[in-house]
Amino acid sequence: MAFVTTDDGAEIFYKDWGSRDAQPIMFHHGWPLSSDDWDAQMLYFLSKGYRVVASDRRGHGRSSQIDTGHDMDHYASDASAVVEHLDLRNAIHIGHSTGGGQVARYVAQYGEPQGRVAKAVLVASVPPLMVKTDANPEGTPIEVFDGFRDALAANRSEFFQAVASGPFYGFNRDGVTPSEPVIANWWRQGMAGSALAHYEGIKAFSETDQTEDLKAISVPVLVLQGDDDQVVPYKDASVKQAEILSNATLKIYEGFPHGMLTTHAGVINPDILAFIQA
């Protein structure tokens, strides 16, 4: 397996598939998952002739269960370590959920200043700010995230099972047939990571204000989300992202859930490809 060691000693696992001469696409996964969550996208874009790269966030998947740095600054720095190690240029960065926050900070603080980024895609992503504050009254109350922390600390296995079988993929909606293999794969990815990284990651994805990151990005950005996202409310996420970004294309999918990259890959993948090729 391939790893990059960061300045503070975290070992970051990554996958790197395809021709080294092809345009690279780097994928940034959501909480509490791993790069395996991008299987449907990595195989698709590899088949289209792209070089596809994905890493496991520190404390997630196969990356080391380091006890520090579970914040958006380190997430972006770790992504940059992989990019620089592989010397990725003219890259497309695609992030889902927390991974979208990671993309926004990486592109703003590393990718664009280094001239390494061509475009970005934010899918059901957390910026600009999830938690409710005086300045963000539409946000989600902090008590919701406190509940996540309590449930994770009490029984992480049961909590992850409930998320995957319920709101993440919309399997709790009337008329939707749950996929037990999809639920099991989500649970598998989550349980492979560190409980500490997942616990502290809740603060990272919910309380990090990324308004300035979005303002700093000038490359074209595709913003995608479903209007039945029960995890990241789209009006406080993708709609605001498109308003803040200087060069955004927004697409809202009727009825699609938070995990639409899995449940509706056949729709999402071609839309991303069209944006990349435009």
Side-chain angles (χ1 to χ4, degrees):
M1 293 195 292
F3 293 87
V4 170
T5 302
T6 66
D7 290 342
D8 68 340
E11 294 183 337
I12 305 299
F13 167 83
Y14 68 89
K15 306 174 186 181
D16 182 10
W17 303 344
S19 170
R20 301 307 184 257
D21 295 326
Q23 184 176 20
I25 303 176
M26 184 166 175
F27 298 91
H28 305 249
H29 66 80
W31 176 99
L33 304 172
S34 74
S35 56
D36 291 354
D37 201 44
W38 290 106
D39 285 354
Q41 286 68 46
M42 292 187 71
L43 290 173
Y44 176 85
F45 286 99
L46 180 67
S47 76
K48 300 299 181 181
Y50 291 91
R51 177 184 182 181
V52 293
V53 176
S55 60
D56 291 356
R57 189 170 300 119
R58 63 170 56 207
H60 294 61
R62 286 138 295 203
S63 291
S64 61
Q65 296 198 8
I66 190 169
D67 64 345
T68 57
H70 304 298
D71 54 70
M72 206 61 74
D73 284 336
H74 281 85
Y75 296 166
S77 177
D78 293 349
S80 183
V82 175
V83 169
E84 293 177 50
H85 175 71
L86 298 176
D87 195 24
L88 303 181
R89 299 181 183 275
N90 193 36
I92 313 295
H93 286 268
I94 303 177
H96 175 241
S97 198
T98 301
Q102 180 172 306
V103 166
R105 182 140 299 180
Y106 165 76
V107 172
Q109 296 192 4
Y110 297 92
E112 280 210 45
Q114 295 173 355
R116 293 182 177 273
V117 178
K119 295 180 179 180
V121 182
L122 303 179
V123 184
S125 296
V126 297
L129 177 64
M130 282 197 73
V131 73
K132 181 178 181 179
T133 65
D134 290 342
N136 185 40
E138 303 88 358
T140 302
I142 188 67
E143 289 80 11
V144 172
F145 303 112
D146 288 341
F148 291 172
R149 280 181 276 262
D150 290 345
L152 189 153
N155 192 320
R156 182 169 62 133
S157 180
E158 285 189 356
F159 176 50
F160 284 179
Q161 179 75 12
V163 173
S165 62
F168 196 91
Y169 296 111
F171 290 152
N172 56 343
R173 294 305 197 200
D174 291 341
V176 176
T177 301
S179 168
E180 293 303 326
V182 166
I183 294 168
N185 189 44
W186 198 100
W187 184 91
R188 173 192 67 83
Q189 291 178 67
M191 293 304 294
S194 157
L196 177 62
H198 295 158
Y199 187 93
E200 294 187 351
I202 294 170
K203 180 179 179 67
F205 73 65
S206 65
E207 298 181 45
T208 304
D209 189 337
Q210 297 195 256
T211 303
E212 295 305 314
D213 291 329
L214 297 175
K215 289 180 179 179
I217 296 171
S218 63
V219 297
V221 181
L222 178 63
V223 178
L224 305 176
Q225 194 164 9
D227 69 0
D228 194 33
D229 191 323
Q230 300 174 67
V231 177
V232 178
Y234 80 98
K235 291 182 180 178
D236 200 41
S238 57
V239 172
K240 289 186 176 181
Q241 291 160 26
E243 292 172 350
I244 297 168
L245 289 160
S246 63
N247 192 0
T249 300
L250 173 65
K251 186 163 187 177
I252 303 295
Y253 298 90
E254 183 177 356
F256 283 20
H258 188 65
M260 64 184 186
L261 284 161
T262 297
T263 60
H264 296 82
V267 175
I268 306 299
N269 290 351
D271 284 351
I272 295 175
L273 179 64
F275 169 74
I276 291 174
Q277 293 181 338

